[in-house]
Amino acid sequence: MTSAAALPRRTRRPSWAGRNYTLLTAAAVVTNLGSQGALIAAAFAVLAAGGDGGDVGLVAAARTVPLVLFLLIGGAVADRLPRHRVMVAANVLNCASQGAFALLVLGGHAQLWQMMLLSALGGTGQAFFGPAAEGMLMSSVEGEQAGRAFAVFRMAMQGAGLGGAALGGALVAVIGPGWVLAVDAVAFAVAGGLRSFLDVGHIPPRAPGGGLLADLRDGWHEFVGRPWLWTIVAQFSVVVAVVGAADAVYGPLVARDSLGGPGPWGLALGAFGAGTVGGALLMTRWKPRRLLLAGTLCVFPLAALAVPVPVGPLYAVMFVSGLAIEVFGVSWMTALHQEIPEEKLSRVSAYDWFGSVAMVPLATALAGPAEQAFGRTSALWGCSVLVVVVTAAVLCVPDVRNLTRRTRQVAQRTPVSPADGVPLLGAEGAQVSGGTLASADAEGSAGRFG
């Protein structure tokens, strides 16, 4: 018979894992399991319909373009309406678009324009979902354990993504891409159902604003008024673009010519994913005092592709890179939660997302011409040097080096000097502003929400 003393131990959760946090984490795991497999399924659905590599790129671009176009509007909407309703509506749109995509593929009549249209609807849903989800997660955690909470959330997400990619690839081979897309539609439905139970009673009602454009301007002023914020977003707009181009274009080519084909490259990407899980696990224990200094010193695998190194060392580099980028991701979330007022979290997150993904289509499009003009090795070394230069430039910003973790609640509003309208600085050069302590996802700067 179970003793009464044993029951609390079975049901006990950490103090920081409240109801909203638990629902958000469970929903993110469900959607990441489905969406990672769906990315593979969509590519093979295009190929099965008679398309080529260029058509696969068009379907991927069709998802990215509306994501970039609607991100800022999505951030403003998420700060104006209850965030959980925005998230659920976006999940409904994603469920419907993936369900229609699955029916077309299963029926054997999918055309390229139809797949592009449905992918665009999915990207539109993500544009509204991402900023709302980021703001909702940050508002669900408080106290000194916020950094640990974000690390556990990201670990769950990254682990689900890693497992979803492996499972999705296997399922595409066994049951076909249409059924995998259908599973993703069901995953969005389940996640939307979980998110509908989120409680927003703790979030203060938003004061009536001056309209959508006024909200966007307000978010922009919050964004550009913090040098640590806009400089790191500018850094990662370059980093994410060149690393994304290398992974999407150069990596498979290097694998084909020097590593033995797609198998080793798939294992290398798996090593990167395992590194992100390891990095999140590390951050459940490690609390670096200088948040952004620790997070900005990341390792990227471009030079390893430029050499190129044998597969064994490449796996090690990819693992370390994944670990380092996850250290950045948790540190970045903690800094945003600590510094940004709660009522502006989604708008600021939207500018972060926008900066992180806006240059990816351009970089991917230019990767091929750059290889033809300079050669693959020179293009990869150029990418590596560019990453080092922008990272060194960001480390020259005092706020990036000096922003420190706080262990107490700070003011809810940014104090402003009446003389010049510039936010006042705290004792250690960090701006004093809203929030308590904590987070932000990846996928753009370092991994986002499913």
Side-chain angles (χ1 to χ4, degrees), residues 1 11 45 52 77 133 161 186 200 214 225 234 258 302 309 339 394 404 438:
M1 184 175 69
T11 58
D52 56 16
V77 169
V186 173
V200 295
S258 304
L302 300 175
V309 301
E339 299 296 320
V394 164
T404 56

Side-chain angles (χ1 to χ4, degrees), residues 22-32 91 187 190-192 194-195 450:
T22 303
L23 286 171
L24 288 167
T25 303
V29 168
V30 170
T31 45
N32 265 31
N91 284 162
V190 172
L194 289 173
R195 288 164 177 144

Side-chain angles (χ1 to χ4, degrees), residues 44-368:
F44 279 93
V46 175
L47 296 175
D52 56 16
D55 295 329
V56 173
L58 287 175
V59 172
R63 180 178 180 84
T64 304
V65 170
L67 175 62
V68 173
L69 289 178
F70 292 111
L71 261 175
L72 299 183
I73 297 175
V77 169
D79 275 340
R80 179 175 287 267
L81 301 177
R83 289 179 182 135
H84 69 308
R85 293 182 182 174
V86 177
M87 295 167 68
V88 171
N91 284 162
V92 170
L93 177 59
N94 285 130
C95 174
S97 62
Q98 288 295 74
F101 201 159
L103 289 175
L104 285 173
V105 174
L106 290 172
H109 304 296
Q111 299 181 30
L112 180 61
W113 71 268
Q114 294 170 325
M115 292 186 283
M116 291 177 64
L117 175 62
L118 293 170
S119 292
L121 289 175
T124 302
Q126 187 64 24
F128 285 86
F129 173 84
E134 201 153 304
M136 194 70 205
L137 177 65
M138 291 184 195
S139 69
S140 72
V141 179
E142 61 182 19
E144 296 183 21
Q145 297 300 319
R148 175 174 292 183
F150 296 136
V152 171
F153 177 87
R154 292 176 65 89
M155 182 168 60
M157 267 191 45
Q158 302 290 12
L162 187 60
L167 181 62
L171 289 176
V172 167
V174 175
I175 62 177
W179 288 110
V180 176
L181 290 167
V183 169
D184 189 38
V186 173
F188 276 117
V190 172
L194 289 173
R195 288 164 177 144
S196 68
F197 290 105
L198 291 168
D199 179 13
V200 295
H202 66 290
I203 300 177
R206 304 309 195 264
L212 190 64
L213 290 179
D215 285 351
L216 289 172
R217 285 195 300 269
D218 193 24
W220 174 251
H221 292 152
E222 190 75 29
F223 178 77
V224 299
R226 303 169 186 274
W228 62 268
L229 178 58
W230 67 262
T231 53
I232 286 186
V233 171
Q235 173 206 7
F236 266 79
S237 69
V238 175
V239 170
V240 172
V242 298
V243 173
D247 285 351
V249 179
Y250 299 140
L253 294 176
V254 171
R256 181 195 64 187
D257 297 341
S258 304
L259 302 178
W265 180 240
L267 290 175
L269 294 177
F272 182 88
T276 62
V277 176
L281 181 61
L282 171 65
M283 293 302 285
T284 64
R285 297 291 183 182
W286 183 35
K287 295 181 179 180
R289 181 170 176 270
R290 295 184 183 272
L291 287 167
L292 300 181
L293 182 63
T296 306
L297 296 173
C298 297
V299 180
F300 298 98
L302 300 175
L305 292 175
V307 173
V309 301
V311 290
L314 177 62
Y315 296 160
V317 170
M318 294 290 278
F319 179 86
V320 173
S321 299
L323 187 149
I325 204 68
E326 197 61 20
V327 168
F328 171 84
V330 175
S331 300
W332 181 246
M333 293 180 78
T334 304
L336 287 178
H337 180 276
Q338 175 175 294
E339 299 296 320
I340 305 301
E342 191 279 332
E343 70 273 11
K344 299 179 182 179
L345 279 172
S346 291
R347 276 169 286 174
V348 171
S349 295
Y351 282 106
D352 174 20
W353 274 63
F354 182 83
S356 298
V357 303
M359 292 181 62
V360 171
L362 177 63
T364 305
L366 292 178

